[in-house]
Amino acid sequence: MRDRTLRRRLVQVAAMLVYNADVRNWFCGTISRSPLKRACVPGLNCYSCPGAVAACPLGSLQNTIGGGRFPFFITGFLLLTGTLLGRMVCSFLCPFGLLQELLHKIPSPKVRRSARLLKVTRRASLLKYVILAVLCIGGPLLLYIKDGLGSPLFCSWICPAGTLFAGIPLVAANETLRQAAGLLFSWKTGLAVGFCVWSVVMFRPFCRFFCPLGAIYSFFNKTAVFGIRVDAQKCTGCGACTAACGMDTLKINDRECIRCGECIRTCRFNAIKA
C-alpha cells in the first residue's frame, strides 16, 4: 500500500511540474505566454501562475461565460475528463490538492471523522455546488447581461490556488504589481493563509467545501471509466473503507470520494480494486 501511496504522490508532483513547466517566468514576475494556454489542464492551476503552460478549466469557464459566449470547448473538455476520471483528478492531478495533503502531514491536533461531525461536514460540502452555480456560472452571466462584460468571480474573490501559485509570486517579483496591490489582494492572501492553516488540522478542507471543479467532476463519479471498483460479491458492507476516509465519503465513488485508492488497504476482504 505504501507503494500505491508513493506512486500517487509522484503523479501529483509530476502533474504540478508539467502544468508549470515554463520555469523562466518564476524568476522575472511575468506570466507565461505559452501557446498551449488555449487548452486546459484537468486540475486547479491558475492561468496567471508564472510558469503555467495551459489554462485552468474554472477560469476558462468563467471567462467564456462572462464574454457572452457559450463554453463549448470547456464543456466538452470537462465532459471528457469527468467521464474518464471523475474526482480522480482531485487526488492525482490537482496541485492545490497536493499542497493540502502535504500541509495535513504537519504534526498537530487533527479534526477526526466522527458520525456527529460527518452530518455537519456532509451538509457543508454542498457549498461547493452553490459556489459553482453562483460565482462560476450565474454571476459572470448576470454581469455580462448587465454590463456587457462578466467577471471570473470565483477566481477574483476566493481561489486560494491562484493567490498562492500566481498572485503572491507575481507580486513578490514585480515592483509594479506590488504598488498596485490593494485590499482585494490582502483579502485573498488572508483567505489563502486561512485555507493553509485549516489544511493542517483538517484533511483537504478546500476540496471538501469550496472547490467548484471538484463539484463538476463529482457528477461523473459513479460512472467514470477509471478509478476504483468494489466487488459486490466480496463486499460485506462493514464500512471499514469509508470509516478510514479523510473525505466526507459515505460510499465508494459517491460525490465526495476522490477515488484515491487509499481505502484499498482497509478492506480485509480484498473487495476493492483500482
Side-chain angles (χ1 to χ4, degrees):
M1 188 60 202
R2 289 181 179 177
D3 290 342
R4 182 185 300 280
T5 302
L6 177 59
R7 287 197 298 269
R8 185 171 74 87
R9 191 72 73 223
L10 290 174
V11 172
Q12 288 176 298
V13 172
M16 180 179 66
L17 294 176
V18 170
Y19 290 178
N20 299 284
D22 194 354
V23 296
R24 297 166 300 176
N25 295 282
W26 286 104
F27 304 100
C28 55
T30 56
I31 298 172
S32 171
R33 297 182 180 273
S34 166
L36 294 177
K37 283 196 168 179
R38 295 178 179 272
C40 296
V41 295
L44 195 68
N45 195 75
C46 186
Y47 179 100
S48 297
C49 289
V53 296
C56 172
L58 276 181
S60 296
L61 177 67
Q62 294 168 83
N63 283 315
T64 304
I65 293 174
R69 305 182 304 277
F70 185 84
F72 287 105
F73 169 78
I74 187 59
T75 299
F77 176 82
L78 291 171
L79 285 171
L80 176 62
T81 305
T83 299
L84 291 175
L85 301 174
R87 288 199 74 180
M88 191 174 174
V89 171
C90 305
S91 60
F92 283 85
L93 300 175
C94 182
F96 194 61
L98 170 62
L99 176 62
Q100 289 175 88
E101 288 189 19
L102 295 178
L103 288 170
H104 193 64
K105 290 184 175 295
I106 296 174
S108 73
K110 307 295 183 185
V111 177
R112 302 296 182 185
R113 179 174 171 134
S114 67
R116 184 174 182 180
L117 179 63
L118 183 60
K119 291 181 180 180
V120 176
T121 56
R122 185 78 179 184
R123 293 191 183 100
S125 69
L126 296 173
L127 177 60
K128 60 181 171 287
Y129 298 94
V130 176
I131 293 174
L132 172 64
V134 175
L135 297 184
C136 296
I137 299 175
L141 179 60
L142 289 176
L143 286 174
Y144 170 75
I145 294 172
K146 177 179 178 290
D147 301 325
L149 181 65
S151 174
L153 298 179
F154 173 78
C155 297
S156 299
W157 290 94
I158 294 181
C159 185
T163 304
L164 291 173
F165 299 141
I168 292 176
L170 288 172
V171 168
N174 191 308
E175 175 66 28
T176 302
L177 291 177
R178 280 200 299 275
Q179 294 176 356
L183 184 60
L184 179 58
F185 179 74
S186 298
W187 156 256
K188 289 199 65 184
T189 299
L191 200 62
V193 171
F195 276 119
C196 288
V197 174
W198 194 0
S199 296
V200 174
V201 298
M202 178 179 276
F203 187 74
R204 282 181 171 246
F206 177 77
C207 303
R208 291 161 70 175
F209 308 124
F210 294 91
C211 184
L213 191 57
I216 293 171
Y217 289 139
S218 74
F219 296 131
F220 303 91
N221 244 15
K222 292 184 179 180
T223 56
V225 175
F226 300 104
I228 54 177
R229 296 287 183 267
V230 178
D231 187 334
Q233 294 183 334
K234 293 182 179 180
C235 180
T236 65
C238 68
C241 52
T242 54
C245 181
M247 301 294 285
D248 295 304
T249 306
L250 298 180
K251 183 179 180 181
I252 288 177
N253 288 330
D254 75 358
R255 63 178 172 84
E256 294 307 313
C257 174
I258 58 174
R259 317 181 95 201
C260 62
E262 300 291 335
C263 57
I264 294 175
R265 64 182 173 83
T266 67
C267 183
R268 295 176 294 151
F269 306 99
N270 200 31
I272 308 172
K273 301 290 185 182

